[in-house]
Amino acid sequence: MDSRQCDDLLAEVEAIRTDGAAWRDRPWTRLPEVEEKIRRRALRRDSWNWAFICMICSYVPALFFVFWRLFHHEEGHPVLFFVWGPLAVLLACLTLFVATESRRPFPSSRPGVLTDS
């Protein structure tokens, strides 16, 4: 925090400490709607990650087909294999993973996550 952002930096920090001290020993309450939103976002992020990995893996057959066509003197554009092919794989995998994200389990007890006591 820059001291030019606040009129009195020390007073601001002390106010934050005072407000935090009131909440220090209180139990955390879990809100089901927040937990569900966190779960959905984590699964959506996981879907994007796996779809991107599938897209990267689709470059191997694309490279194979480009070399195959090059060595056999076939006409065609490598852009089809290097751009549109992996993009189609990304969209197909993303559609599949997002459609099935509600059926995937989400571990409720993970390290670092607060649990009800």
Side-chain angles (χ1 to χ4, degrees), residues 30 35 38-39 42 45 106-115:
R30 296 182 87 157
E35 295 284 329
I38 292 170
R39 179 186 174 280
R45 185 175 51 247
F106 188 76
S108 59
S109 59
R110 295 176 304 169
V113 176
L114 296 174
T115 57

Side-chain angles (χ1 to χ4, degrees), residues 39-101:
R39 179 186 174 280
R40 276 196 320 266
R41 285 185 180 175
L43 288 173
R44 182 67 47 96
R45 185 175 51 247
D46 192 43
S47 297
W48 271 99
N49 289 343
W50 279 108
F52 187 75
I53 289 169
C54 290
M55 182 193 76
I56 295 299
C57 291
S58 72
Y59 277 105
V60 173
L63 189 64
F64 172 76
F65 283 123
V66 165
F67 282 131
W68 177 273
R69 294 174 69 94
L70 182 70
F71 289 136
H72 291 283
H73 304 291
E74 294 182 16
E75 294 294 322
H77 298 287
V79 173
L80 177 68
F81 293 111
F82 283 125
V83 175
W84 297 112
L87 185 62
V89 169
L90 175 71
L91 293 175
C93 289
L94 189 60
T95 303
L96 175 71
F97 292 140
V98 168
T100 60
E101 74 184 9

